[in-house]
Amino acid sequence: MSDATTSRQSNTYTGQTIRPDEAAHFGKLAADWWDPKGSSAMLHKLNPVRLSFLRDAIDLHWAGDVRDAKPLAGKTALDVGCGAGLLCEPLARLGADVTGVDAAPENTAAAAIHAERSGLDIRYMAGELAAQDIGTFDLVTAMEVIEHVADKQAFANELAARLAPGGLMVLSTPNRTVRSRALMIGAAEGFGLIPRGTHHWDDFITPEELGELLEAAGLSMGEPKGIAFSPMKGLHLSDDLSLNYIVTARAR
C-alpha cells in the first residue's frame, strides 16, 4: 500500500472506525432520508443501480434462479453504514433476515420507524461494528461507507469477521480520481445535489487500494464494476471506474 494511502488512513483512533463528525453529519440527514427529493435524493437515484449489481451477484454466488422473487430466503444479511435503511428494506423484500448497523443513532431510529410502517421486521443497531454481538451473516454489504471511516483496515477486518463461511460481501465507494473530485465534490456538492461536506476526496479509495485492504483482511475482491453518470442515462453500471465503483468480495 502506498505511503499516501497509509497517511490517509492513519489516525488517533486506531481500531476505531467511527468519526464523530461524520456520524453527526449523517445523523442530521435522518429526518428526510426517505424523501426522494430531499437531501438524500442522490442515494435514491443510486440505490436501484446498486441493487441491480447486487441481484446479479446474489444469483451468481448462490447459483439462484433469476426468476425467484426472494433469492435471499433463509439467508441473513448485514448492511453496515445502513443510514435510514434504504438498502436494508429491499434486502428484506428479497427474503433476507436483515440487520442494519450505523454510526448515527438518529439514522437507525428513523430506519426502525420506516421499517415498522412498511411492515418489515428489520433489526437496527447504532455504534461501532466491533462492539455489536451479532455473529456472522451470509451477505454483508457496505455501500458508500469505507470512505467515511477512520481506520479503513480495521473496518475491512470487521467486515470480514462478520462474513459467514461461503458468504458474499458487496461494497461500493468513490474512486479517487480527478473526475470524482470534479463531479462528486465540485459539482454535486457545489450545486447542492449532495449535502456539502459529505465527501472528503483524500479519503476516496482506488480499486487497487481497496483490493489491498480486503486482501489484508483475508478476502479476495472480484472485478470492479463502475457506477458512472451521463446526462442521458443518469447513474448506471459501466466499465468506467473513474467516478464510483462496486465490487464483490469473498473469503480466500
Side-chain angles (χ1 to χ4, degrees):
M1 189 173 292
S2 68
D3 290 342
T5 303
T6 303
S7 175
R8 279 192 304 277
Q9 292 170 12
S10 64
N11 55 81
T12 57
Y13 304 96
T14 302
Q16 179 177 334
T17 63
I18 292 176
R19 287 173 170 157
D21 58 334
E22 295 271 5
H25 173 82
F26 288 104
K28 291 177 182 177
L29 306 179
D32 69 343
W33 199 286
W34 280 96
D35 181 357
K37 296 182 180 179
S39 59
S40 297
M42 192 60 69
L43 285 179
H44 285 266
K45 294 179 172 65
L46 180 59
N47 213 36
V49 182
R50 301 188 302 197
L51 284 167
S52 175
F53 178 92
L54 191 53
R55 176 63 202 249
D56 287 346
I58 289 167
D59 289 340
L60 181 63
H61 184 76
W62 281 292
D65 184 346
V66 296
R67 297 165 298 181
D68 190 349
K70 294 187 179 293
L72 293 175
K75 294 181 173 59
T76 55
L78 171 67
D79 186 31
V80 182
C82 65
L86 207 58
L87 183 62
C88 287
E89 293 198 8
L91 292 178
R93 291 190 174 96
L94 290 174
D97 179 4
V98 181
T99 297
V101 176
D102 196 84
E106 300 95 332
N107 286 340
T108 54
I113 291 170
H114 195 276
E116 183 178 5
R117 290 174 177 170
S118 302
L120 297 171
D121 184 12
I122 300 173
R123 174 174 60 168
Y124 287 108
M125 310 175 80
E128 284 281 354
L129 180 59
Q132 312 300 329
D133 183 15
I134 51 177
T136 59
F137 297 80
D138 300 305
L139 174 67
V140 175
T141 58
M143 306 295 200
E144 315 300 309
V145 179
I146 196 167
E147 68 271 20
H148 297 291
V149 304
D151 188 327
K152 292 172 173 50
Q153 187 61 67
F155 183 69
N157 294 346
E158 282 300 322
L159 293 178
R162 302 301 179 178
L163 190 62
L168 173 68
M169 186 181 298
V170 180
L171 308 94
S172 66
T173 191
N175 198 352
R176 195 177 67 259
T177 64
V178 172
R179 182 174 173 80
S180 69
R181 182 195 287 242
L183 290 182
M184 295 187 68
I185 298 176
E189 292 194 18
F191 289 103
L193 300 175
I194 298 174
R196 190 177 295 273
T198 294
H199 295 114
H200 303 281
W201 186 79
D202 287 346
D203 272 320
F204 288 4
I205 303 171
T206 68
E208 294 77 18
E209 291 163 353
L210 181 59
E212 291 174 1
L213 289 169
L214 295 174
E215 182 178 6
L219 301 170
S220 295
M221 189 174 86
E223 190 69 24
K225 190 72 174 177
I227 300 176
F229 175 81
S230 73
M232 293 294 292
K233 293 183 177 180
L235 291 168
H236 61 282
L237 293 174
S238 167
D239 292 331
D240 181 1
L241 307 180
S242 65
L243 185 62
N244 200 303
Y245 61 97
I246 187 166
V247 297
T248 59
R250 299 167 176 83
R252 291 204 305 268

mmCIF file with all atom_site columns, all heavy atoms in Angstrom, residues 160-184:
data_model
loop_
_atom_site.group_PDB
_atom_site.id
_atom_site.type_symbol
_atom_site.label_atom_id
_atom_site.label_alt_id
_atom_site.label_comp_id
_atom_site.label_asym_id
_atom_site.label_entity_id
_atom_site.label_seq_id
_atom_site.pdbx_PDB_ins_code
_atom_site.Cartn_x
_atom_site.Cartn_y
_atom_site.Cartn_z
_atom_site.occupancy
_atom_site.B_iso_or_equiv
_atom_site.pdbx_formal_charge
_atom_site.auth_seq_id
_atom_site.auth_comp_id
_atom_site.auth_asym_id
_atom_site.auth_atom_id
_atom_site.pdbx_PDB_model_num
ATOM 1   N N   . ALA A 1 160 ? -14.926 -8.458  7.335   1.00 0.00 ? 160 ALA A N   1
ATOM 2   C CA  . ALA A 1 160 ? -14.533 -9.849  7.078   1.00 0.00 ? 160 ALA A CA  1
ATOM 3   C C   . ALA A 1 160 ? -14.934 -10.758 8.230   1.00 0.00 ? 160 ALA A C   1
ATOM 4   O O   . ALA A 1 160 ? -15.361 -11.904 8.014   1.00 0.00 ? 160 ALA A O   1
ATOM 5   C CB  . ALA A 1 160 ? -13.023 -9.927  6.838   1.00 0.00 ? 160 ALA A CB  1
ATOM 6   N N   . ALA A 1 161 ? -14.816 -10.248 9.455   1.00 0.00 ? 161 ALA A N   1
ATOM 7   C CA  . ALA A 1 161 ? -15.163 -11.060 10.625  1.00 0.00 ? 161 ALA A CA  1
ATOM 8   C C   . ALA A 1 161 ? -16.658 -11.344 10.698  1.00 0.00 ? 161 ALA A C   1
ATOM 9   O O   . ALA A 1 161 ? -17.075 -12.316 11.344  1.00 0.00 ? 161 ALA A O   1
ATOM 10  C CB  . ALA A 1 161 ? -14.713 -10.342 11.902  1.00 0.00 ? 161 ALA A CB  1
ATOM 11  N N   . ARG A 1 162 ? -17.469 -10.520 10.035  1.00 0.00 ? 162 ARG A N   1
ATOM 12  C CA  . ARG A 1 162 ? -18.923 -10.713 10.052  1.00 0.00 ? 162 ARG A CA  1
ATOM 13  C C   . ARG A 1 162 ? -19.419 -11.595 8.908   1.00 0.00 ? 162 ARG A C   1
ATOM 14  O O   . ARG A 1 162 ? -20.616 -11.888 8.845   1.00 0.00 ? 162 ARG A O   1
ATOM 15  C CB  . ARG A 1 162 ? -19.630 -9.353  9.962   1.00 0.00 ? 162 ARG A CB  1
ATOM 16  C CG  . ARG A 1 162 ? -19.271 -8.391  11.065  1.00 0.00 ? 162 ARG A CG  1
ATOM 17  C CD  . ARG A 1 162 ? -19.585 -8.933  12.443  1.00 0.00 ? 162 ARG A CD  1
ATOM 18  N NE  . ARG A 1 162 ? -19.213 -7.990  13.489  1.00 0.00 ? 162 ARG A NE  1
ATOM 19  C CZ  . ARG A 1 162 ? -19.419 -8.202  14.772  1.00 0.00 ? 162 ARG A CZ  1
ATOM 20  N NH1 . ARG A 1 162 ? -20.005 -9.318  15.163  1.00 0.00 ? 162 ARG A NH1 1
ATOM 21  N NH2 . ARG A 1 162 ? -19.055 -7.317  15.671  1.00 0.00 ? 162 ARG A NH2 1
ATOM 22  N N   . LEU A 1 163 ? -18.521 -12.004 8.023   1.00 0.00 ? 163 LEU A N   1
ATOM 23  C CA  . LEU A 1 163 ? -18.928 -12.795 6.864   1.00 0.00 ? 163 LEU A CA  1
ATOM 24  C C   . LEU A 1 163 ? -18.877 -14.284 7.202   1.00 0.00 ? 163 LEU A C   1
ATOM 25  O O   . LEU A 1 163 ? -17.844 -14.815 7.588   1.00 0.00 ? 163 LEU A O   1
ATOM 26  C CB  . LEU A 1 163 ? -18.000 -12.495 5.692   1.00 0.00 ? 163 LEU A CB  1
ATOM 27  C CG  . LEU A 1 163 ? -18.411 -13.050 4.331   1.00 0.00 ? 163 LEU A CG  1
ATOM 28  C CD1 . LEU A 1 163 ? -19.743 -12.461 3.877   1.00 0.00 ? 163 LEU A CD1 1
ATOM 29  C CD2 . LEU A 1 163 ? -17.324 -12.782 3.290   1.00 0.00 ? 163 LEU A CD2 1
ATOM 30  N N   . ALA A 1 164 ? -20.023 -14.945 7.048   1.00 0.00 ? 164 ALA A N   1
ATOM 31  C CA  . ALA A 1 164 ? -20.103 -16.377 7.337   1.00 0.00 ? 164 ALA A CA  1
ATOM 32  C C   . ALA A 1 164 ? -19.346 -17.167 6.270   1.00 0.00 ? 164 ALA A C   1
ATOM 33  O O   . ALA A 1 164 ? -19.155 -16.686 5.144   1.00 0.00 ? 164 ALA A O   1
ATOM 34  C CB  . ALA A 1 164 ? -21.574 -16.814 7.367   1.00 0.00 ? 164 ALA A CB  1
ATOM 35  N N   . PRO A 1 165 ? -18.893 -18.382 6.601   1.00 0.00 ? 165 PRO A N   1
ATOM 36  C CA  . PRO A 1 165 ? -18.239 -19.231 5.590   1.00 0.00 ? 165 PRO A CA  1
ATOM 37  C C   . PRO A 1 165 ? -19.134 -19.396 4.364   1.00 0.00 ? 165 PRO A C   1
ATOM 38  O O   . PRO A 1 165 ? -20.330 -19.653 4.490   1.00 0.00 ? 165 PRO A O   1
ATOM 39  C CB  . PRO A 1 165 ? -18.054 -20.561 6.326   1.00 0.00 ? 165 PRO A CB  1
ATOM 40  C CG  . PRO A 1 165 ? -17.984 -20.185 7.782   1.00 0.00 ? 165 PRO A CG  1
ATOM 41  C CD  . PRO A 1 165 ? -18.923 -19.026 7.935   1.00 0.00 ? 165 PRO A CD  1
ATOM 42  N N   . GLY A 1 166 ? -18.546 -19.211 3.196   1.00 0.00 ? 166 GLY A N   1
ATOM 43  C CA  . GLY A 1 166 ? -19.307 -19.311 1.965   1.00 0.00 ? 166 GLY A CA  1
ATOM 44  C C   . GLY A 1 166 ? -20.142 -18.098 1.653   1.00 0.00 ? 166 GLY A C   1
ATOM 45  O O   . GLY A 1 166 ? -20.941 -18.118 0.714   1.00 0.00 ? 166 GLY A O   1
ATOM 46  N N   . GLY A 1 167 ? -19.963 -17.025 2.430   1.00 0.00 ? 167 GLY A N   1
ATOM 47  C CA  . GLY A 1 167 ? -20.786 -15.832 2.263   1.00 0.00 ? 167 GLY A CA  1
ATOM 48  C C   . GLY A 1 167 ? -20.291 -14.905 1.166   1.00 0.00 ? 167 GLY A C   1
ATOM 49  O O   . GLY A 1 167 ? -19.229 -15.116 0.566   1.00 0.00 ? 167 GLY A O   1
ATOM 50  N N   . LEU A 1 168 ? -21.078 -13.864 0.928   1.00 0.00 ? 168 LEU A N   1
ATOM 51  C CA  . LEU A 1 168 ? -20.805 -12.877 -0.121  1.00 0.00 ? 168 LEU A CA  1
ATOM 52  C C   . LEU A 1 168 ? -20.781 -11.485 0.496   1.00 0.00 ? 168 LEU A C   1
ATOM 53  O O   . LEU A 1 168 ? -21.639 -11.147 1.313   1.00 0.00 ? 168 LEU A O   1
ATOM 54  C CB  . LEU A 1 168 ? -21.900 -12.941 -1.188  1.00 0.00 ? 168 LEU A CB  1
ATOM 55  C CG  . LEU A 1 168 ? -21.883 -11.864 -2.281  1.00 0.00 ? 168 LEU A CG  1
ATOM 56  C CD1 . LEU A 1 168 ? -20.677 -12.038 -3.196  1.00 0.00 ? 168 LEU A CD1 1
ATOM 57  C CD2 . LEU A 1 168 ? -23.184 -11.913 -3.087  1.00 0.00 ? 168 LEU A CD2 1
ATOM 58  N N   . MET A 1 169 ? -19.799 -10.692 0.101   1.00 0.00 ? 169 MET A N   1
ATOM 59  C CA  . MET A 1 169 ? -19.717 -9.303  0.521   1.00 0.00 ? 169 MET A CA  1
ATOM 60  C C   . MET A 1 169 ? -19.807 -8.415  -0.706  1.00 0.00 ? 169 MET A C   1
ATOM 61  O O   . MET A 1 169 ? -19.274 -8.754  -1.765  1.00 0.00 ? 169 MET A O   1
ATOM 62  C CB  . MET A 1 169 ? -18.404 -9.032  1.261   1.00 0.00 ? 169 MET A CB  1
ATOM 63  C CG  . MET A 1 169 ? -18.292 -7.633  1.858   1.00 0.00 ? 169 MET A CG  1
ATOM 64  S SD  . MET A 1 169 ? -16.700 -7.356  2.700   1.00 0.00 ? 169 MET A SD  1
ATOM 65  C CE  . MET A 1 169 ? -16.792 -8.606  3.983   1.00 0.00 ? 169 MET A CE  1
ATOM 66  N N   . VAL A 1 170 ? -20.489 -7.271  -0.578  1.00 0.00 ? 170 VAL A N   1
ATOM 67  C CA  . VAL A 1 170 ? -20.574 -6.292  -1.667  1.00 0.00 ? 170 VAL A CA  1
ATOM 68  C C   . VAL A 1 170 ? -20.305 -4.907  -1.086  1.00 0.00 ? 170 VAL A C   1
ATOM 69  O O   . VAL A 1 170 ? -20.906 -4.518  -0.082  1.00 0.00 ? 170 VAL A O   1
ATOM 70  C CB  . VAL A 1 170 ? -21.950 -6.333  -2.362  1.00 0.00 ? 170 VAL A CB  1
ATOM 71  C CG1 . VAL A 1 170 ? -21.991 -5.288  -3.485  1.00 0.00 ? 170 VAL A CG1 1
ATOM 72  C CG2 . VAL A 1 170 ? -22.248 -7.718  -2.915  1.00 0.00 ? 170 VAL A CG2 1
ATOM 73  N N   . LEU A 1 171 ? -19.389 -4.182  -1.719  1.00 0.00 ? 171 LEU A N   1
ATOM 74  C CA  . LEU A 1 171 ? -19.031 -2.839  -1.285  1.00 0.00 ? 171 LEU A CA  1
ATOM 75  C C   . LEU A 1 171 ? -19.083 -1.891  -2.474  1.00 0.00 ? 171 LEU A C   1
ATOM 76  O O   . LEU A 1 171 ? -18.779 -2.286  -3.605  1.00 0.00 ? 171 LEU A O   1
ATOM 77  C CB  . LEU A 1 171 ? -17.615 -2.790  -0.692  1.00 0.00 ? 171 LEU A CB  1
ATOM 78  C CG  . LEU A 1 171 ? -17.236 -3.773  0.408   1.00 0.00 ? 171 LEU A CG  1
ATOM 79  C CD1 . LEU A 1 171 ? -16.578 -5.013  -0.181  1.00 0.00 ? 171 LEU A CD1 1
ATOM 80  C CD2 . LEU A 1 171 ? -16.274 -3.116  1.399   1.00 0.00 ? 171 LEU A CD2 1
ATOM 81  N N   . SER A 1 172 ? -19.423 -0.629  -2.215  1.00 0.00 ? 172 SER A N   1
ATOM 82  C CA  . SER A 1 172 ? -19.288 0.409   -3.233  1.00 0.00 ? 172 SER A CA  1
ATOM 83  C C   . SER A 1 172 ? -18.634 1.624   -2.589  1.00 0.00 ? 172 SER A C   1
ATOM 84  O O   . SER A 1 172 ? -18.786 1.867   -1.386  1.00 0.00 ? 172 SER A O   1
ATOM 85  C CB  . SER A 1 172 ? -20.647 0.784   -3.831  1.00 0.00 ? 172 SER A CB  1
ATOM 86  O OG  . SER A 1 172 ? -21.483 1.398   -2.875  1.00 0.00 ? 172 SER A OG  1
ATOM 87  N N   . THR A 1 173 ? -17.907 2.379   -3.400  1.00 0.00 ? 173 THR A N   1
ATOM 88  C CA  . THR A 1 173 ? -17.184 3.532   -2.870  1.00 0.00 ? 173 THR A CA  1
ATOM 89  C C   . THR A 1 173 ? -16.713 4.403   -4.025  1.00 0.00 ? 173 THR A C   1
ATOM 90  O O   . THR A 1 173 ? -16.502 3.911   -5.134  1.00 0.00 ? 173 THR A O   1
ATOM 91  C CB  . THR A 1 173 ? -15.972 3.072   -2.015  1.00 0.00 ? 173 THR A CB  1
ATOM 92  O OG1 . THR A 1 173 ? -15.425 4.174   -1.302  1.00 0.00 ? 173 THR A OG1 1
ATOM 93  C CG2 . THR A 1 173 ? -14.895 2.430   -2.861  1.00 0.00 ? 173 THR A CG2 1
ATOM 94  N N   . PRO A 1 174 ? -16.541 5.711   -3.810  1.00 0.00 ? 174 PRO A N   1
ATOM 95  C CA  . PRO A 1 174 ? -15.999 6.561   -4.871  1.00 0.00 ? 174 PRO A CA  1
ATOM 96  C C   . PRO A 1 174 ? -14.521 6.264   -5.127  1.00 0.00 ? 174 PRO A C   1
ATOM 97  O O   . PRO A 1 174 ? -13.769 5.941   -4.207  1.00 0.00 ? 174 PRO A O   1
ATOM 98  C CB  . PRO A 1 174 ? -16.177 7.981   -4.323  1.00 0.00 ? 174 PRO A CB  1
ATOM 99  C CG  . PRO A 1 174 ? -17.146 7.865   -3.203  1.00 0.00 ? 174 PRO A CG  1
ATOM 100 C CD  . PRO A 1 174 ? -16.953 6.499   -2.636  1.00 0.00 ? 174 PRO A CD  1
ATOM 101 N N   . ASN A 1 175 ? -14.133 6.383   -6.368  1.00 0.00 ? 175 ASN A N   1
ATOM 102 C CA  . ASN A 1 175 ? -12.728 6.266   -6.747  1.00 0.00 ? 175 ASN A CA  1
ATOM 103 C C   . ASN A 1 175 ? -12.043 7.617   -6.541  1.00 0.00 ? 175 ASN A C   1
ATOM 104 O O   . ASN A 1 175 ? -12.676 8.667   -6.657  1.00 0.00 ? 175 ASN A O   1
ATOM 105 C CB  . ASN A 1 175 ? -12.635 5.841   -8.213  1.00 0.00 ? 175 ASN A CB  1
ATOM 106 C CG  . ASN A 1 175 ? -11.271 5.280   -8.570  1.00 0.00 ? 175 ASN A CG  1
ATOM 107 O OD1 . ASN A 1 175 ? -10.335 5.326   -7.778  1.00 0.00 ? 175 ASN A OD1 1
ATOM 108 N ND2 . ASN A 1 175 ? -11.163 4.741   -9.776  1.00 0.00 ? 175 ASN A ND2 1
ATOM 109 N N   . ARG A 1 176 ? -10.757 7.595   -6.242  1.00 0.00 ? 176 ARG A N   1
ATOM 110 C CA  . ARG A 1 176 ? -10.016 8.835   -6.038  1.00 0.00 ? 176 ARG A CA  1
ATOM 111 C C   . ARG A 1 176 ? -9.375  9.256   -7.364  1.00 0.00 ? 176 ARG A C   1
ATOM 112 O O   . ARG A 1 176 ? -8.248  8.872   -7.676  1.00 0.00 ? 176 ARG A O   1
ATOM 113 C CB  . ARG A 1 176 ? -8.962  8.674   -4.935  1.00 0.00 ? 176 ARG A CB  1
ATOM 114 C CG  . ARG A 1 176 ? -8.411  10.008  -4.422  1.00 0.00 ? 176 ARG A CG  1
ATOM 115 C CD  . ARG A 1 176 ? -7.433  9.843   -3.282  1.00 0.00 ? 176 ARG A CD  1
ATOM 116 N NE  . ARG A 1 176 ? -6.200  9.193   -3.699  1.00 0.00 ? 176 ARG A NE  1
ATOM 117 C CZ  . ARG A 1 176 ? -5.917  7.904   -3.489  1.00 0.00 ? 176 ARG A CZ  1
ATOM 118 N NH1 . ARG A 1 176 ? -6.781  7.122   -2.864  1.00 0.00 ? 176 ARG A NH1 1
ATOM 119 N NH2 . ARG A 1 176 ? -4.791  7.384   -3.904  1.00 0.00 ? 176 ARG A NH2 1
ATOM 120 N N   . THR A 1 177 ? -10.120 10.014  -8.129  1.00 0.00 ? 177 THR A N   1
ATOM 121 C CA  . THR A 1 177 ? -9.664  10.467  -9.438  1.00 0.00 ? 177 THR A CA  1
ATOM 122 C C   . THR A 1 177 ? -9.980  11.951  -9.603  1.00 0.00 ? 177 THR A C   1
ATOM 123 O O   . THR A 1 177 ? -10.763 12.529  -8.836  1.00 0.00 ? 177 THR A O   1
ATOM 124 C CB  . THR A 1 177 ? -10.366 9.691   -10.567 1.00 0.00 ? 177 THR A CB  1
ATOM 125 O OG1 . THR A 1 177 ? -11.776 9.996   -10.507 1.00 0.00 ? 177 THR A OG1 1
ATOM 126 C CG2 . THR A 1 177 ? -10.155 8.199   -10.446 1.00 0.00 ? 177 THR A CG2 1
ATOM 127 N N   . VAL A 1 178 ? -9.406  12.543  -10.614 1.00 0.00 ? 178 VAL A N   1
ATOM 128 C CA  . VAL A 1 178 ? -9.709  13.939  -10.930 1.00 0.00 ? 178 VAL A CA  1
ATOM 129 C C   . VAL A 1 178 ? -11.201 14.079  -11.244 1.00 0.00 ? 178 VAL A C   1
ATOM 130 O O   . VAL A 1 178 ? -11.848 15.056  -10.848 1.00 0.00 ? 178 VAL A O   1
ATOM 131 C CB  . VAL A 1 178 ? -8.850  14.411  -12.119 1.00 0.00 ? 178 VAL A CB  1
ATOM 132 C CG1 . VAL A 1 178 ? -9.292  15.798  -12.587 1.00 0.00 ? 178 VAL A CG1 1
ATOM 133 C CG2 . VAL A 1 178 ? -7.373  14.413  -11.752 1.00 0.00 ? 178 VAL A CG2 1
ATOM 134 N N   . ARG A 1 179 ? -11.768 13.081  -11.928 1.00 0.00 ? 179 ARG A N   1
ATOM 135 C CA  . ARG A 1 179 ? -13.178 13.130  -12.303 1.00 0.00 ? 179 ARG A CA  1
ATOM 136 C C   . ARG A 1 179 ? -14.083 13.094  -11.075 1.00 0.00 ? 179 ARG A C   1
ATOM 137 O O   . ARG A 1 179 ? -15.063 13.848  -10.998 1.00 0.00 ? 179 ARG A O   1
ATOM 138 C CB  . ARG A 1 179 ? -13.500 11.960  -13.236 1.00 0.00 ? 179 ARG A CB  1
ATOM 139 C CG  . ARG A 1 179 ? -14.935 11.939  -13.728 1.00 0.00 ? 179 ARG A CG  1
ATOM 140 C CD  . ARG A 1 179 ? -15.129 10.824  -14.760 1.00 0.00 ? 179 ARG A CD  1
ATOM 141 N NE  . ARG A 1 179 ? -16.508 10.659  -15.147 1.00 0.00 ? 179 ARG A NE  1
ATOM 142 C CZ  . ARG A 1 179 ? -17.144 11.411  -16.025 1.00 0.00 ? 179 ARG A CZ  1
ATOM 143 N NH1 . ARG A 1 179 ? -16.499 12.413  -16.608 1.00 0.00 ? 179 ARG A NH1 1
ATOM 144 N NH2 . ARG A 1 179 ? -18.412 11.187  -16.335 1.00 0.00 ? 179 ARG A NH2 1
ATOM 145 N N   . SER A 1 180 ? -13.765 12.242  -10.104 1.00 0.00 ? 180 SER A N   1
ATOM 146 C CA  . SER A 1 180 ? -14.616 12.161  -8.920  1.00 0.00 ? 180 SER A CA  1
ATOM 147 C C   . SER A 1 180 ? -14.535 13.442  -8.099  1.00 0.00 ? 180 SER A C   1
ATOM 148 O O   . SER A 1 180 ? -15.523 13.881  -7.522  1.00 0.00 ? 180 SER A O   1
ATOM 149 C CB  . SER A 1 180 ? -14.223 10.953  -8.053  1.00 0.00 ? 180 SER A CB  1
ATOM 150 O OG  . SER A 1 180 ? -12.960 11.130  -7.446  1.00 0.00 ? 180 SER A OG  1
ATOM 151 N N   . ARG A 1 181 ? -13.367 14.058  -8.060  1.00 0.00 ? 181 ARG A N   1
ATOM 152 C CA  . ARG A 1 181 ? -13.250 15.327  -7.339  1.00 0.00 ? 181 ARG A CA  1
ATOM 153 C C   . ARG A 1 181 ? -14.102 16.400  -8.021  1.00 0.00 ? 181 ARG A C   1
ATOM 154 O O   . ARG A 1 181 ? -14.832 17.156  -7.363  1.00 0.00 ? 181 ARG A O   1
ATOM 155 C CB  . ARG A 1 181 ? -11.796 15.791  -7.280  1.00 0.00 ? 181 ARG A CB  1
ATOM 156 C CG  . ARG A 1 181 ? -11.609 17.088  -6.486  1.00 0.00 ? 181 ARG A CG  1
ATOM 157 C CD  . ARG A 1 181 ? -10.235 17.698  -6.751  1.00 0.00 ? 181 ARG A CD  1
ATOM 158 N NE  . ARG A 1 181 ? -9.203  16.924  -6.093  1.00 0.00 ? 181 ARG A NE  1
ATOM 159 C CZ  . ARG A 1 181 ? -8.394  17.406  -5.142  1.00 0.00 ? 181 ARG A CZ  1
ATOM 160 N NH1 . ARG A 1 181 ? -8.525  18.654  -4.747  1.00 0.00 ? 181 ARG A NH1 1
ATOM 161 N NH2 . ARG A 1 181 ? -7.474  16.657  -4.608  1.00 0.00 ? 181 ARG A NH2 1
ATOM 162 N N   . ALA A 1 182 ? -14.048 16.446  -9.341  1.00 0.00 ? 182 ALA A N   1
ATOM 163 C CA  . ALA A 1 182 ? -14.770 17.471  -10.082 1.00 0.00 ? 182 ALA A CA  1
ATOM 164 C C   . ALA A 1 182 ? -16.281 17.271  -10.004 1.00 0.00 ? 182 ALA A C   1
ATOM 165 O O   . ALA A 1 182 ? -17.029 18.236  -9.789  1.00 0.00 ? 182 ALA A O   1
ATOM 166 C CB  . ALA A 1 182 ? -14.318 17.468  -11.545 1.00 0.00 ? 182 ALA A CB  1
ATOM 167 N N   . LEU A 1 183 ? -16.735 16.027  -10.156 1.00 0.00 ? 183 LEU A N   1
ATOM 168 C CA  . LEU A 1 183 ? -18.171 15.778  -10.229 1.00 0.00 ? 183 LEU A CA  1
ATOM 169 C C   . LEU A 1 183 ? -18.821 15.617  -8.859  1.00 0.00 ? 183 LEU A C   1
ATOM 170 O O   . LEU A 1 183 ? -19.883 16.186  -8.593  1.00 0.00 ? 183 LEU A O   1
ATOM 171 C CB  . LEU A 1 183 ? -18.448 14.536  -11.085 1.00 0.00 ? 183 LEU A CB  1
ATOM 172 C CG  . LEU A 1 183 ? -18.187 14.696  -12.582 1.00 0.00 ? 183 LEU A CG  1
ATOM 173 C CD1 . LEU A 1 183 ? -18.547 13.414  -13.321 1.00 0.00 ? 183 LEU A CD1 1
ATOM 174 C CD2 . LEU A 1 183 ? -18.975 15.859  -13.161 1.00 0.00 ? 183 LEU A CD2 1
ATOM 175 N N   . MET A 1 184 ? -18.208 14.826  -7.968  1.00 0.00 ? 184 MET A N   1
ATOM 176 C CA  . MET A 1 184 ? -18.857 14.497  -6.704  1.00 0.00 ? 184 MET A CA  1
ATOM 177 C C   . MET A 1 184 ? -18.728 15.620  -5.681  1.00 0.00 ? 184 MET A C   1
ATOM 178 O O   . MET A 1 184 ? -19.630 15.822  -4.865  1.00 0.00 ? 184 MET A O   1
ATOM 179 C CB  . MET A 1 184 ? -18.306 13.191  -6.139  1.00 0.00 ? 184 MET A CB  1
ATOM 180 C CG  . MET A 1 184 ? -18.619 11.985  -7.016  1.00 0.00 ? 184 MET A CG  1
ATOM 181 S SD  . MET A 1 184 ? -18.161 10.420  -6.255  1.00 0.00 ? 184 MET A SD  1
ATOM 182 C CE  . MET A 1 184 ? -19.339 10.325  -4.915  1.00 0.00 ? 184 MET A CE  1
#
